[in-house]
């Protein structure tokens, strides 16, 4: 067996010395990390740590004050459309149109993304996120938060993009739904999708992610990888999270 | 383009499923429909009434028996103005100035006075007409519909989802603008129907098309304003408050300020002042009913010299008729001078009011609408001028008859000598001296020319708002 040096792989996502100043305050400060294709990376942190802001810079919604963000090796600012085309984004407290049902919502937003899918594909995605069939034809304004979240996740799946950005994806979901969601994310990663999720759920992050980064006050203050058992040690991360004051 | 349409279609679907929006739209539709019908009926009733009165007045005038020509000068006659077909949509100043004038000797009758001018400048503000509905109420519907068109997406988080699908802010805004434009187009259908009916009724297609275009421009200005506010502000409640405030100021407050400013900038005497001023100058001209008035001494000498006579009784023409002709000519020149001055001042006031269109699209549209409909102040002034020409020609024709068909001796003795009085009566056939009067609207090109400036103001608004929307769309963030 020969020890062959691995081929250099272009990261799906890369933040390099990323800084962001908003309204005079430094929201992100020298944040650097990469997410390899097919990897699940969780950014962990408390409220105001800069997690969601980091995601928004990858989408080009916010421009870095310093450093850079790249998607598939290309500077986001140089081609925002290309970056957004490669990413499916699930915002925190995802809300689609309340006056439309699940099918109409998915069809509309997929149209905007330039994707046309048939009814069977919609049903398959909704099955995958376990949205009850009897709810699918109802207007979303009658949905619970969890059901809305599931529909938004279905939209992200149907986008069929190589990268998923998930902002507090399990917020509002019941424990069973959370387990199902984690299983789904792992399956997606196994199929080659790159996932960057931000969360303040230490247990969830350690359960699903290949690597965890800990954000505090806009700085990346810790990084954790799976040990020999193939899992990140929850206790270690929790201790770091608590010791460093969360945000 | 299909994406823009897709975004617009989704907005229409949202509105169609919103009870508040549907009720608001139906209310406006019913108001527009009912007002159009009532205005059309009112104009038709007026037309029928006017036709009947015109026939009645003509029959009564021509049925007058043989009599002294000067009695016919005082008998008088009416000049009627048929409103153009588009008056059904925008009666403009007609509601205030009236459409008929009583023509008689030595007087210029007019319905113009200060209060009427104020109402006229507002385009019949007090009356609910289709035009005033469009100018005032339809923007409110656009505000109700559109104030949250972007902010709703921002507040609910769907703006991020939209943008994350890879669409630019500009595409999203084009879709939203198309959605509002669609509503505007729907709201324009009654205007288009009325314009078509007007064309069928003989209106020039150019004027009708430009009228519809003017209202389309106005609704586009409001639609873009609503969109821009929703795009630039952060909260729906603030946007709604600001839009309603802007509507209040531009549609209700500025027009009143404009009228006050016009009155302050261009002073126009009222009818009583004008009449008093004219009476004092009229005395210097002399009383045409009194041939011995010293004011006519120079004329007497001139006429006697012309005919080589020593006394007016020796003249081959009736001296009294000569005096009547001369005094009417002088008096008319004086009346025309005062009337022209008043009309010039009124036109200047109207221009000041229209200039306020730079801060009030409603004023700009009102001016364009009245000009295109042929119901503006300029049309009314032309009616006054043309009817005055008719009055003067008729009176002078009778005065000429007075001078040439009657002898001075008979004329002087008619109050004491019944036979002389009988000889001073001229045949009733002479009453046909009155030419038939038919007032026709200005050609469409002339009306369009008058509408260019106010329409230009609307285009200016549109351009400014387009820039605001494009700049806002380019920097659109969730």
């Amino acid at each position: 067996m020969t020890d062959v040096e691995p081929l250099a792989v272009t990261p799906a996502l890369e933040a390099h010395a990323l800084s962001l100043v908003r309204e005079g305050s430094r929201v992100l400060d020298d944040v650097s990390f990469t997410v390899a294709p097919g990897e699940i990376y969780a950014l962990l942190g408390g409220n105001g740590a800069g997690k969601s802001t980091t995601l928004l810079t990858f989408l080009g919604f916010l421009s870095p004050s310093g450093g850079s963000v790249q998607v598939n090796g290309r500077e986001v600012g140089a081609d925002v459309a290309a970056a957004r085309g490669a990413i499916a984004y699930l915002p925190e407290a995802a809300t689609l149109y309340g006056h439309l049902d699940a099918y109409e919502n998915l069809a509309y937003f997929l149209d905007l993304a330039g994707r046309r899918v048939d009814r069977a594909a919609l049903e398959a995605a909704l099955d995958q996120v376990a949205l009850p069939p009897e709810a699918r034809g109802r207007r979303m304004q009658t949905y619970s938060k969890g059901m809305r979240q599931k529909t938004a996740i279905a939209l992200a799946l149907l986008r069929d993009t190589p990268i998923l950005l998930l902002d507090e994806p399990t917020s509002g979901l019941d424990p069973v739904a959370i387990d199902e969601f984690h299983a789904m994310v792992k399956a997606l990663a196994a199929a080659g999708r790159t996932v960057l999720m931000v969360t303040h759920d230490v247990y969830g992050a350690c359960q699903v992610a290949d690597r965890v980064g800990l954000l505090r006050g806009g700085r990346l203050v810790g990084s954790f990888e799976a040990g020999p058992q193939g899992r990140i040690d929850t206790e270690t991360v929790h201790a770091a999270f608590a010791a460093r004051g969360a945000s | 383009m299909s994406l823009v349409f897709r975004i617009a279609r989704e907005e229409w679907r949202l509105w169609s499923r919103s009870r508040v929006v549907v009720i608001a739209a139906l209310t406006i539709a019913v108001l527009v429909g009912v007002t159009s019908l009532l205005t059309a009926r009112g104009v038709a009733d007026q037309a029928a009434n006017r036709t009947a009165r015109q026939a009645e007045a003509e029959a009564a005038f021509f049925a007058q028996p043989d009599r002294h020509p000067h009695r016919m000068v005082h008998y008088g006659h009416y000049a009627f103005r048929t409103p153009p077909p588009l008056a059904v949509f925008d009666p403009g100043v007609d509601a205030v100035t009236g459409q008929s004038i009583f023509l008689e000797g030595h007087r210029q009758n007019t319905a113009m006075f200060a209060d009427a001018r104020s109402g006229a400048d507002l385009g019949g503000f007090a009356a609910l007409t289709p035009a005033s509905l469009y100018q005032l109420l339809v923007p409110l519907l656009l505000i109700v519909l559109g104030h949250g068109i972007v902010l709703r997406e921002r507040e609910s988080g769907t703006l991020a989802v939209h943008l994350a699908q890879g669409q630019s802010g500009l595409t999203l805004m084009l879709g939203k603008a198309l959605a509002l434009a669609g509503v505007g187009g729907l709201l324009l259908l009654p205007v288009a129907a009325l314009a078509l009916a007007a064309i069928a009724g003989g209106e020039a297609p150019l004027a009708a098309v430009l009228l519809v275009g003017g209202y389309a421009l106005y609704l586009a200005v409001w639609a873009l304003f609503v969109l821009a506010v929703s795009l630039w502000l952060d909260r729906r409640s603030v946007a709604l408050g600001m839009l309603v405030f802007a509507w209040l100021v531009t549609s209700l407050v500025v027009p009143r300020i404009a009228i006050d400013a016009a009155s302050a900038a261009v002073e126009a005497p009222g009818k009583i002042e004008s009449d008093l001023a004219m009476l004092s100058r009229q005395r210097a001209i002399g009383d045409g009913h009194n041939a011995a008035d010293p004011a006519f001494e120079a004329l007497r000498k001139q006429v006697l010299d012309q005919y080589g006579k020593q006394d007016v009784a020796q003249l081959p023409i009736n001296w009294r008729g000569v005096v009547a002709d001369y005094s009417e000519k002088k008096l008319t020149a004086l009346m025309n001078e005062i009337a022209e001055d008043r009309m010039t001042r009124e036109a200047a006031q109207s221009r000041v009011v229209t200039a306020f269109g730079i801060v009030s699209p409603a004023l700009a549209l009102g001016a364009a609408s009245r000009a295109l409909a042929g119901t503006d102040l300029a049309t009314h002034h032309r009616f006054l001028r043309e009817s005055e020409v008719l009055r003067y020609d008729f009176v002078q024709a009778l005065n000429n008859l007075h001078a040439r068909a009657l002898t001075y001796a008979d004329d002087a003795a008619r109050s004491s000598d019944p036979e002389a009085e009988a000889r001073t009566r001229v045949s009733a056939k002479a009453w046909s001296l009155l030419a038939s009067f038919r007032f026709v609207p200005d050609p469409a090109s002339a009306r369009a020319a008058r509408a260019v400036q106010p329409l230009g103001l609307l285009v200016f608004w549109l351009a400014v708002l387009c820039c605001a929307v494009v700049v806002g769309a380019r920097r659109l963030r969730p």
Side-chain angles (χ1 to χ4, degrees), chain A residues 60-61 84 89 91 95-97 99-100 104 107-109 111-113 139 155 159, chain B residues 3 6-7 10 13-14 17 153 156 158 160-165 167 176 477-478:
Chain A
F61 291 153
R84 290 181 192 169
Y89 170 56
T95 306
L96 302 182
Y97 279 155
H99 67 283
L100 302 182
E104 291 168 335
Y108 171 62
F109 284 103
D111 264 359
L112 293 190
R139 293 187 190 178
L155 172 63
R159 281 286 307 280
Chain B
L3 270 180
R6 185 73 175 88
I7 292 165
E10 215 43 66
R13 182 150 61 172
L14 167 69
R17 290 180 181 181
E153 309 273 10
S156 68
T158 46
V161 182
H162 266 100
L163 296 175
Q165 305 312 308
Q167 291 313 313
K176 300 291 187 185
R477 299 286 182 272

Side-chain angles (χ1 to χ4, degrees), chain B residues 254-265:
Chain B
V254 170
R256 277 161 171 70
I257 292 173
I259 289 169
D260 287 344
S263 299

Side-chain angles (χ1 to χ4, degrees), chain A residues 2-10:
Chain A
T2 314
D3 190 12
V4 181
E5 189 174 331
L7 288 170
V9 177
T10 303

Side-chain angles (χ1 to χ4, degrees), chain A residues 3-23:
Chain A
D3 190 12
V4 181
E5 189 174 331
L7 288 170
V9 177
T10 303
L13 298 167
E14 180 174 9
H16 178 69
L18 174 62
S19 297
L20 189 81
V21 177
R22 291 183 83 181
E23 295 170 1

